[in-house]
Amino acid sequence: MLIKIRDYLKHQKVCSLADLSVKFNTTPEAMRGMLSHWLRKGQLSCEQPGCFVACKKGCVSCDPAELEIYRWQGKSQHIPLSLIG
């Protein structure tokens, strides 16, 4: 499943936790656990919009899973110029 998640994120570039949970038919909590693998490897970053971070009013109109955004970073594999030619 981790490879399918990786491939999906590579293609989409940016996804919410809610979208990933629906796509892979799992709970947000389980999806976070799987995403933590790619976070630890530095391939993925987790972002939260400023409104979510700044909002301390206790408003429950936003689903936190919709506001938890994951962005695929990937590790670029550049060949150093000193090794070319």
Side-chain angles (χ1 to χ4, degrees):
M1 173 95 79
L2 288 175
I3 300 302
K4 289 181 181 180
I5 293 169
R6 179 203 64 192
D7 292 346
Y8 184 74
L9 283 164
K10 276 184 173 180
H11 181 262
Q12 295 294 341
K13 308 287 189 234
V14 177
C15 263
S16 72
L17 178 62
D19 290 340
L20 289 164
S21 297
V22 169
K23 170 71 179 168
F24 293 98
N25 194 30
T26 187
T27 65
E29 293 76 23
M31 182 56 64
R32 273 189 200 102
M34 290 182 269
L35 293 171
S36 70
H37 171 78
W38 298 114
L39 287 164
R40 280 191 310 273
K41 291 193 167 282
Q43 301 272 340
L44 190 64
S45 66
C46 179
E47 304 169 5
Q48 295 178 330
C51 62
F52 182 68
V53 175
C55 181
K56 303 292 184 203
K57 296 179 183 175
C59 172
V60 293
S61 64
C62 297
D63 177 6
E66 287 289 340
L67 298 175
E68 195 170 325
I69 307 297
Y70 289 87
R71 181 179 306 273
W72 185 257
Q73 306 288 0
K75 290 185 180 176
S76 59
Q77 296 182 0
H78 297 288
I79 300 172
L81 292 175
S82 62
L83 297 179
I84 297 176

